[in-house]
Amino acid sequence: MPFAFINWMKSAIHFDSLGLSPIALDLGIWHLFGLTFHPMIHWYALAYIGGILLAWRYVLLLLKQPGAPMTPIQTEDLVFWATLGILVGGRLAYVFFYQPSMLSTPSEILKLWEGGMSYHGGMVGVFLAIWWVKWRNGLSWLRIADYIGCATPIGLFLGRIANFINGELWGRPSTLPWAIIFPQAGPLPRHPSQLYEAGLEGILLFIFLNCMFFATKARLQPGKLAGFFLVGYGLSRFIVEWFREPDVQLGTLSWGLTMGQTLTIPMVLAGLWLILTASKRPPVFAAN
């Protein structure tokens, strides 16, 4: 048995051997006005920027289909407020649900570059941004959410890839041949749960939502695509949490679920309600 364990450890993939670095571009040391700077661009920051920009361009593509819920100019306004919602909502949700100790030192909350964002909070921020743009322009909140939902998996995919490059949010111990030893997680091989999430929340959810958008009339039923997004993301996250190591400061909660799983439950319920009630809302009539 000990020899089998040793062979298993030797055959596991070591994260360091992948040659990945959280820093995408090191701009070197700068000396300006008597001060020393060492600016670096991280993949995590690029994932957020790239996800927002690519999702914006993709929404513009979707808006070319008949029955669009807003104009390209209104979309630009939404991108600004959605970016703000992602940053503020994502950070505050992380602090309240995962790191409430930060509340005793508020200055720590502003250090976004050190990581710590909640995808659930970011989504709430985006929904509030949609409501704000809807209110200012007299638009349909649900129909905008349908389009945004179809593009959101792009950002989710890039974010999870950035998590993997950072070697963070690793999975639970595993004996599978693709298990990886993450240096900061100890000597045991673990599930690369970041890649599981990238595949489910990113690739598969994107394919499903956009098949529904282009191959069916779901986009003309307000709230239906937004509902599918909520259910798809919620179920994906709930499943992957069984393979992902729980947050060390929280662990598995007293009711047997992780915080990530717990936060997905109201999301899935809201999504199911949107799907089941979509046929009761006035449909959109769009000329082909």
Side-chain angles (χ1 to χ4, degrees):
M1 184 68 178
F3 294 104
F5 178 79
I6 293 173
N7 290 331
W8 166 51
M9 293 289 290
K10 287 182 177 179
S11 64
I13 302 170
H14 287 258
F15 182 80
D16 289 340
S17 69
L18 300 178
L20 300 175
S21 170
I23 301 171
L25 182 61
D26 188 333
L27 300 177
I29 298 176
W30 298 9
H31 300 282
L32 296 173
F33 308 109
L35 300 175
T36 300
F37 301 91
H38 190 180
M40 293 181 289
I41 300 175
H42 291 72
W43 286 112
Y44 195 68
L46 290 179
Y48 269 85
I49 295 171
I52 291 169
L53 292 178
L54 289 174
W56 171 31
R57 302 306 300 178
Y58 192 71
V59 168
L60 292 177
L61 174 65
L62 298 180
L63 291 177
K64 294 180 179 180
Q65 299 300 310
M70 57 184 170
T71 68
I73 298 298
Q74 291 166 339
T75 306
E76 293 179 8
D77 191 28
L78 177 59
V79 168
F80 170 78
W81 292 108
T83 302
L84 187 62
I86 290 171
L87 296 176
V88 176
R91 186 59 169 177
L92 290 180
Y94 174 79
V95 171
F96 283 111
F97 290 109
Y98 295 95
Q99 284 286 9
S101 60
M102 283 187 176
L103 295 173
S104 61
T105 53
S107 61
E108 294 294 314
I109 299 176
L110 301 177
K111 296 180 180 180
L112 296 176
W113 56 88
E114 294 184 357
M117 297 286 283
S118 165
Y119 282 85
H120 297 91
M123 286 182 193
V124 172
V126 170
F127 289 151
L128 291 175
I130 293 172
W131 178 87
W132 175 248
V133 173
K134 168 260 182 193
W135 180 78
R136 292 180 63 189
N137 298 277
L139 304 174
S140 167
W141 187 92
L142 282 178
R143 297 216 60 233
I144 297 175
D146 287 336
Y147 280 62
I148 297 301
C150 289
T152 298
I154 297 173
L156 294 175
F157 172 79
L158 294 176
R160 293 310 182 188
I161 294 298
N163 290 147
F164 180 73
I165 293 174
N166 286 349
E168 61 188 2
L169 304 183
W170 48 75
R172 305 179 191 224
S174 170
T175 58
L176 292 171
W178 57 81
I180 296 175
I181 298 176
F182 294 92
Q184 297 178 347
L188 293 178
R190 296 176 175 273
H191 286 284
S193 55
Q194 314 95 322
L195 300 183
Y196 299 171
E197 290 187 272
L200 289 175
E201 303 168 5
I203 297 173
L204 290 182
L205 186 55
F206 178 84
I207 291 172
F208 173 76
L209 288 172
N210 286 278
C211 283
M212 293 293 295
F213 183 94
F214 287 104
T216 74
K217 295 184 178 180
R219 64 185 174 84
L220 303 179
Q221 295 178 275
K224 195 167 192 176
L225 289 172
F228 278 127
F229 168 77
L230 291 173
V231 172
Y233 174 81
L235 291 179
S236 298
R237 180 67 183 270
F238 193 93
I239 292 170
V240 174
E241 285 284 322
W242 293 121
F243 301 94
R244 175 174 162 176
E245 186 71 20
D247 296 272
V248 64
Q249 71 275 20
L250 296 176
T252 300
L253 303 177
S254 59
W255 47 89
L257 301 177
T258 66
M259 179 61 77
Q261 288 174 317
T262 301
L263 294 176
T264 62
I265 292 175
M267 180 180 295
V268 170
L269 293 176
L272 288 173
W273 180 81
L274 286 173
I275 295 169
L276 295 174
T277 58
S279 61
K280 299 179 181 180
R281 301 185 194 98
V284 176
F285 296 97
N288 294 323

